[in-house]
Amino acid sequence: MGVLMDIKTLWGLRVQEFYRKMFRYYSIIGANVVYFFLIISSIFIYYFNLFLQWIPPQISVEVILSLFVTFILMQTKVRTFIKRADIVFLLPLEWKLKSYFIKSLVYSFVIDFIKSLSLITILLSLFLHKTNISLPVFFLIVGIVSYNILMKWTEQWLKNHVQFVLHRLNRFFSIYLMCYFLFKNDWVFELVLMSINFVYLIYFIGKKRNLNWQWLIVEEESALLRNFKFINIFMDVPNLKRSFRNRRLLTMILKRCIPYSQSSTFVYLYSHLFVRYNDYFYLYLRLTLIGIFVNYAIPTSGWIFNLLILFMTGYQVIPLQHEIKQSVLLYPISKAQINDSFLKFVLVVLYAQLFILYFAMFIYTSTAKIYYLVIGSLFVYVFVYFFVSKRVNVSGSALKE
């Protein structure tokens, strides 16, 4: 009886534990998050509007909006609040956990629905000039979000990579078409497609299967990591797990470019951490590619966006200073010199990104004047030595002053 009572209250306890942890972080960075979203959303809406004006008239606005909503929905995670230790303790009780996972699906649906409803309302009002959400649209959004959550849930039973790819493609194109018909107000096609999709889901889910606990754990850890990565933009999150790759070609290039000397020791270390840690490397790559695309799509005002890209890159690279282990700090170099090495590293990274973006602007348009490069260079220098320098403080008791 006691075990059953514990299972009934387990989901609520896990949710409370998660929100207590998140509340501690967001209570510290609360105001910063609001300002961050206001600024980023304003910039996004401005440039997204310019992008829609740049698109050829043969391509309808609904095509782009549907693609954007689909991309957002494809990032969905099913939150179960499962932990690794649960494989040992809860696996024998799997048959009693049906209500637990139903609550998890309902919770994931509510979060996804609020996000989707807000996003679609904003897109409809800004770009399709529809001021209200009608009742049919409301229920269709419920259907799209439900389908998305259930399709994500069924991924745990896919047996190989080919099935996974086909399943993802099916999910992507189904959501895209449903969003497209929703924006176009084609109710007949929308209802037919949604009915076919739900018949497929009922057939697939109806087969009796055991839960894939490894998938549940990986999914939950991935969702939790995403939260911590976002918080890490504003403050350092201790024990944040990092994924990495060796990237031998890039590390070999670094060895040849960075001089072999004591003063370059920490520049060398920071550069290798940056190249090998996927979080920082892919962030840099994504922002650079976005900048290149913006320079192509909106050449006249791309240089302003370049400054924003440089700021975002530099700001999000700052936590890299704390990735070095304490044992490395025993190396006989002063704290001031280590801090200076980090500033040099950030300066080189941003200058490299600036030249890539300027080169892209130079290729795409004749408006890439030299003073854009001068303005960008001054911006990087001021940003590193007047903004980043105030936030660099490599701590360690072994450091020599």
Side-chain angles (χ1 to χ4, degrees), residues 82 104 146 220 260 280 303 315 336 379 397:
I82 289 293
S104 295
S146 303
E220 179 60 28
Y260 185 77
Y280 296 102
W303 70 276
Y315 191 81
F379 174 82
S397 58

Side-chain angles (χ1 to χ4, degrees), residues 288-387:
T288 304
L289 290 173
I290 290 170
I292 291 171
F293 178 76
V294 170
N295 282 320
Y296 173 72
I298 316 164
T300 53
S301 56
W303 70 276
I304 300 174
F305 193 81
N306 289 347
L307 299 182
L308 177 65
I309 291 286
L310 292 167
F311 175 81
M312 291 174 67
T313 303
Y315 191 81
Q316 295 190 62
V317 163
I318 293 174
L320 183 67
Q321 64 179 306
H322 303 302
E323 299 293 343
I324 288 182
K325 294 181 180 179
Q326 288 291 318
S327 58
V328 179
L329 297 175
L330 294 171
Y331 196 81
I333 289 181
S334 69
K335 181 178 178 181
Q337 197 170 350
I338 295 176
N339 291 344
D340 188 55
S341 295
F342 184 75
L343 293 178
K344 285 179 182 176
F345 156 75
V346 177
L347 192 72
V348 171
V349 164
L350 294 183
Y351 273 141
Q353 189 177 51
L354 171 65
F355 283 113
I356 292 169
L357 295 176
Y358 179 79
F359 185 69
M361 187 187 295
F362 183 79
I363 290 174
Y364 293 139
T365 176
S366 58
T367 60
K369 298 181 173 65
I370 192 67
Y371 68 79
Y372 292 161
L373 188 61
V374 174
I375 292 171
S377 301
L378 288 172
F379 174 82
V380 169
Y381 186 86
V382 171
F383 174 76
V384 171
Y385 285 104
F386 290 89
F387 182 84

Side-chain angles (χ1 to χ4, degrees), residues 69-345:
V69 174
T70 303
F71 174 77
I72 298 298
L73 287 173
M74 289 295 288
Q75 311 306 310
T76 292
K77 298 287 183 185
V78 177
R79 299 303 308 271
T80 57
F81 306 101
I82 289 293
K83 300 178 181 179
R84 285 203 171 269
D86 291 339
I87 291 182
V88 177
F89 296 104
L90 294 183
L91 186 56
L93 301 171
E94 181 179 321
W95 60 281
K96 296 179 181 178
L97 292 170
K98 185 176 180 180
S99 62
Y100 180 97
F101 290 109
I102 289 174
K103 289 176 184 177
S104 295
L105 288 171
V106 171
Y107 171 85
S108 302
F109 165 79
V110 170
I111 297 297
D112 230 32
F113 175 72
I114 293 171
K115 178 177 67 178
S116 302
L117 182 64
S118 305
L119 179 63
I120 290 172
T121 303
I122 291 168
L123 294 177
L124 284 172
S125 60
L126 285 177
F127 303 111
L128 295 178
H129 308 295
K130 296 178 181 177
T131 55
N132 61 334
I133 294 285
S134 62
L135 196 60
V137 171
F138 180 87
F139 282 114
L140 289 173
I141 294 172
V142 170
I144 292 171
V145 174
S146 303
Y147 172 78
N148 182 48
I149 291 291
L150 293 173
M151 283 291 280
K152 181 66 180 178
W153 179 251
T154 58
E155 282 184 7
Q156 65 178 297
W157 296 306
L158 302 177
K159 295 178 181 177
N160 53 55
H161 185 67
V162 174
Q163 287 186 358
F164 178 79
V165 171
L166 293 175
H167 185 275
R168 277 290 177 96
L169 287 173
N170 179 26
R171 179 179 160 211
F172 177 86
F173 285 111
S174 297
I175 294 172
Y176 175 78
L177 289 173
M178 285 192 286
C179 290
Y180 177 75
F181 293 138
L182 176 70
F183 286 126
K184 293 287 285 185
N185 293 328
D186 289 337
W187 308 125
V188 175
F189 288 110
E190 178 82 11
L191 291 171
V192 169
L193 180 61
M194 195 171 285
S195 301
I196 293 170
N197 287 328
F198 274 102
V199 168
Y200 165 77
L201 266 176
I202 292 168
Y203 168 76
F204 193 87
I205 295 175
K207 296 180 179 180
K208 193 171 183 179
R209 301 179 181 89
N210 292 325
L211 293 171
N212 184 341
W213 284 84
Q214 190 59 41
W215 182 89
L216 296 174
I217 290 167
V218 170
E219 185 75 5
E220 179 60 28
E221 288 182 346
S222 176
L224 196 59
L225 183 62
R226 183 186 292 179
N227 274 291
F228 285 141
K229 283 180 179 178
F230 176 75
I231 295 167
N232 199 58
I233 296 173
F234 306 97
M235 62 179 288
D236 294 328
V237 179
N239 304 319
L240 182 61
K241 291 182 179 179
R242 303 287 186 191
S243 60
F244 66 91
R245 290 183 60 186
N246 287 330
R247 299 192 172 90
R248 291 186 177 88
L249 179 61
L250 287 174
T251 52
M252 186 175 66
I253 293 170
L254 287 176
K255 287 179 182 178
R256 293 181 178 276
C257 294
I258 300 173
Y260 185 77
S261 63
Q262 189 182 53
S263 60
S264 302
T265 301
F266 278 84
V267 175
Y268 178 86
L269 289 174
Y270 285 126
S271 301
H272 274 70
L273 284 174
F274 173 74
V275 165
R276 288 178 174 175
Y277 276 139
N278 289 333
D279 294 352
Y280 296 102
F281 182 76
Y282 287 136
L283 167 77
Y284 185 79
L285 196 62
R286 281 195 302 269
L287 288 175
T288 304
L289 290 173
I290 290 170
I292 291 171
F293 178 76
V294 170
N295 282 320
Y296 173 72
I298 316 164
T300 53
S301 56
W303 70 276
I304 300 174
F305 193 81
N306 289 347
L307 299 182
L308 177 65
I309 291 286
L310 292 167
F311 175 81
M312 291 174 67
T313 303
Y315 191 81
Q316 295 190 62
V317 163
I318 293 174
L320 183 67
Q321 64 179 306
H322 303 302
E323 299 293 343
I324 288 182
K325 294 181 180 179
Q326 288 291 318
S327 58
V328 179
L329 297 175
L330 294 171
Y331 196 81
I333 289 181
S334 69
K335 181 178 178 181
Q337 197 170 350
I338 295 176
N339 291 344
D340 188 55
S341 295
F342 184 75
L343 293 178
K344 285 179 182 176
F345 156 75

